[in-house]
Structure formats: C-alpha cells, structure tokens
Amino acid sequence: MLRRALRAAWPTVRFTVRMDRGSAYGWLHVSWEDGPTTSQVDLLAKAYEGSRFNGQDDTYHRTPNMLVYFAGEQLPQEVWYACCGVNTSRRIGAEGYARVLAMMNAAQPGVARLRADGRGLVTAYLDDQAAADLDVLPGPVDVECAAWRLHHRIDFTEAG
C-alpha cells in the first residue's frame, strides 16, 4: 500500500520499499534519488506505521487502525499496518549534483566539481561569504557537506 501511495504522489520517481534487517527487522525502508524532499516522503509514509516510538516511556505505541477504501468496495475496511515504522533515505543523483554544483559555483566560481567516478565532489571549501549566500552556514564549509544541505532543500518534482 505504501508503494502505491508513493507512486500515486510522485509518478515519475522510482522508490525502493523494502523491509529492514537486523535490529530494524520490523521497519520498512524507503529510498529514492532526487525527487521529493525527505520531509515530503516522511509525511506520507508516517500514515503507514503500525506503531510509533515514545521517548517519554521508551516504548512503542500502536497506532490506531485506519479505514481504507479499496477499489470496487462500497464501504471502507479497517486496516492495521504491521510495520513498526518507516525509515527513509534520499540519495543525490546526477540531476541533484548538477543543481547543487550550479548553485555553489554561482556563489563561488570554480569551487565545486564532480569526482571522475561521479560519486561525490572533489574536496574543496566554500568561503564564509559563499556559505552565507547559500545559507549553508557556518563557513568555511566542505562542498560535499554543502551539497547535502542544499540537496535536502530542493524538491526535484517541481520545475526549476
């Protein structure tokens, strides 16, 4: 159901939805490249959690059952989601690197470039002024760190 909801919300983005392993065995893990922001996906995914962690008493509390309409059904059915929670992770892809490189190089010409293998940026630092202009304070800041901070704010499903 989570896969269908993600596909309906962002039809052009490829999401991977898997059960986590090890000590996170009861959790779902959602990953994608560029696309919507993490907070947008988290907001949708929270509806599919079967329980939520309560830091006050250090336990999980079951979420209420949901009423869900299924295709062809006249009345909703009561559904309880069995996963403990949903973890999400967003990766920087080619489009993401292109956008953040353009932003950093506009603020400080020539500071950022992609590594030859395409997996990260060549080590360099944004100066104080460029970091302030991009709102990735404090400066000086490593360009890879700045890339992640900038990427976190960009919704790639919107034009521009």
Side-chain angles (χ1 to χ4, degrees), residues 8-88:
W10 299 284
T12 60
V13 179
R14 184 177 181 273
F15 290 93
T16 301
V17 180
R18 299 278 187 266
M19 289 301 296
D20 273 333
R21 299 177 189 187
S23 62
Y25 70 92
W27 290 69
L28 285 173
H29 182 82
V30 178
S31 61
W32 71 101
E33 190 173 276
D34 298 333
T37 65
T38 302
S39 57
Q40 290 172 315
V41 174
D42 285 346
L43 187 63
L44 184 143
K46 289 273 183 234
Y48 294 88
E49 293 181 332
S51 59
R52 297 217 172 94
F53 183 73
N54 182 340
Q56 295 292 319
D57 60 12
D58 201 30
T59 62
Y60 286 90
H61 295 270
R62 224 179 126 204
T63 57
N65 293 354
M66 305 288 287
L67 290 177
V68 178
Y69 280 98
F70 292 96
E73 298 281 329
Q74 291 290 333
L75 296 172
Q77 292 183 26
E78 192 173 32
V79 174
W80 175 67
Y81 299 110
C83 73
C84 293
V86 181
N87 292 315
T88 59

Side-chain angles (χ1 to χ4, degrees), residues 6 10 12-16 30-42 88-101 114 118 147-148 150-158:
L6 290 166
W10 299 284
T12 60
V13 179
R14 184 177 181 273
F15 290 93
T16 301
V30 178
S31 61
W32 71 101
E33 190 173 276
D34 298 333
T37 65
T38 302
S39 57
Q40 290 172 315
V41 174
D42 285 346
T88 59
S89 62
R90 182 182 189 213
R91 297 177 307 277
I92 301 179
E95 180 185 359
Y97 273 122
R99 292 263 296 269
V100 297
L101 284 171
L114 206 54
W148 281 101
L150 291 169
H151 186 262
H152 176 75
R153 298 192 305 233
I154 300 170
D155 179 357
F156 290 87
T157 59
E158 295 179 351

Side-chain angles (χ1 to χ4, degrees), residues 104-119:
M104 286 190 283
N105 285 321
Q108 185 177 332
V111 71
R113 60 188 171 91
L114 206 54
R115 285 186 0 201
D117 63 6
R119 296 181 177 199

